[in-house]
Amino acid sequence: MAFESQEKQKAYWKENLRLMGILLAIWFTVSYLFGIVLVDVLNAFTIGGAKLGFWFSQQGSIYVFVVLIFVYVWRMNVLDKKYNVDEA
């Protein structure tokens, strides 16, 4: 991976860190806030016969985590192409 300039390298990492920050915030919201802090509020709703707070803490956070992995790979491929550092 070779960058044309130091400025492009800094811009690349800035965008990478921004993406990671957003995805980590989503993961934190779903796994910690929905699964632990707001569980009583969410348990007023059901999904597939299970209380929503319970579902988030047992399955929903795992599903969201897997989706976030795929989103990260997709966005990083776009970012790599933008800065001409893709593997292709």
Side-chain angles (χ1 to χ4, degrees), residues 20-35 60-66 68:
M20 285 193 325
I22 291 169
L23 296 179
L24 284 171
I26 293 169
W27 179 58
F28 173 80
T29 301
V30 170
S31 64
Y32 184 72
L33 293 181
F34 289 174
S61 60
I62 296 169
Y63 292 151
V64 170
F65 183 70
V66 171
L68 291 177

Side-chain angles (χ1 to χ4, degrees), residues 27-82:
W27 179 58
F28 173 80
T29 301
V30 170
S31 64
Y32 184 72
L33 293 181
F34 289 174
I36 298 172
V37 175
L38 300 174
V39 69
D40 293 329
V41 175
L42 293 174
N43 277 340
F45 306 97
T46 60
I47 183 168
K51 295 179 179 180
L52 188 59
F54 174 78
W55 184 85
F56 267 114
S57 64
Q58 296 300 312
Q59 296 177 350
S61 60
I62 296 169
Y63 292 151
V64 170
F65 183 70
V66 171
V67 168
L68 291 177
I69 291 170
F70 286 103
V71 169
Y72 180 74
V73 169
W74 168 63
R75 291 301 303 153
M76 284 306 297
N77 285 334
V78 171
L79 187 64
D80 287 350
K81 287 178 184 175
K82 177 180 176 181

